[in-house]
Amino acid sequence: IVLTQSPATLSLSPGERATLSCRASQSVSSYLAWYQQKPGQAPRLLIYDASNRAAGIPARFSGSGSGTDFTLTISSLEPEDFAVYYCQQRSNWPPTFGPGTKVDIK
Amino acid sequence: EVQLVESGGGLVQPGGSLRLSCAASGFTFSNYWMSWVRQAPGKGLEWVANIKQDGSEKYSVDSVRGRFTISRDNAKNSLFLQMNSLRAGDTAVYYCARGLGAAAAVLTLWGQGTLVAVSS
């Protein structure tokens, strides 16, 4: 299953709302996760099964969608949120990741 | 502290072998699916392999099947990746990661990664 993320880069200011999209080449039901990765660091799980926040993830991060279209929303960007975000499906083997969306400071 | 620490990366010639290790601490290692995920320099994430809690089930992606073998030693809280017949395309940071309960492919805990460079 191929995942496509848009936009490739999102330039925003702190305090603004970020909306990231992930589209699957076929239905993945709700088996979609979102990860955040900062330079030189390992990825961190944010959302799993489309809308469940992982432990310790702030409420400003939310996920939605099912089937082939998914959204990660960051309600109000904090300075530490500028990073690359990957979606990942686990509906079919092998699990696959999208190419990522970079959220950078405008 | 709950953590995963990888080791064993380095520079290897094409056709060579390496064995990566991942030491787990701070949680009951034998309760979790474990996985290896890699990231080529400046690129995205690619699943490599995963293994069930008791080692009875193992899965790997097509690009490494027959060359890489995932294994674990629950008595030593350790995960391994034996990599043979290495190619330039295997150059990447290799992360070990822990699954979320029965959801093997939801990765809740990651190590810091170990770099494997395949070059002559």
Side-chain angles (χ1 to χ4, degrees), chain B residues 36-77:
Chain B
W36 289 98
V37 174
R38 67 184 179 183
Q39 186 170 35
K43 302 298 184 182
L45 300 163
E46 180 186 22
W47 208 280
V48 176
N50 62 4
I51 185 168
K52 195 175 180 179
Q53 289 91 332
D54 61 359
S56 61
E57 296 181 32
K58 305 176 185 182
Y59 303 93
S60 58
V61 295
D62 288 349
S63 59
V64 308
R65 196 169 300 135
R67 299 188 299 123
F68 292 10
T69 302
I70 189 171
S71 62
R72 65 191 297 162
D73 183 339
N74 286 343
K76 295 184 178 179
N77 295 328

Side-chain angles (χ1 to χ4, degrees), chain B residues 6-59:
Chain B
E6 301 95 335
S7 60
L11 176 63
V12 61
Q13 292 188 339
S17 298
L18 275 179
R19 189 189 195 213
L20 305 184
S21 300
C22 172
S25 59
F27 64 96
T28 304
F29 179 72
S30 59
N31 285 353
Y32 295 90
W33 279 83
M34 296 296 297
S35 299
W36 289 98
V37 174
R38 67 184 179 183
Q39 186 170 35
K43 302 298 184 182
L45 300 163
E46 180 186 22
W47 208 280
V48 176
N50 62 4
I51 185 168
K52 195 175 180 179
Q53 289 91 332
D54 61 359
S56 61
E57 296 181 32
K58 305 176 185 182
Y59 303 93

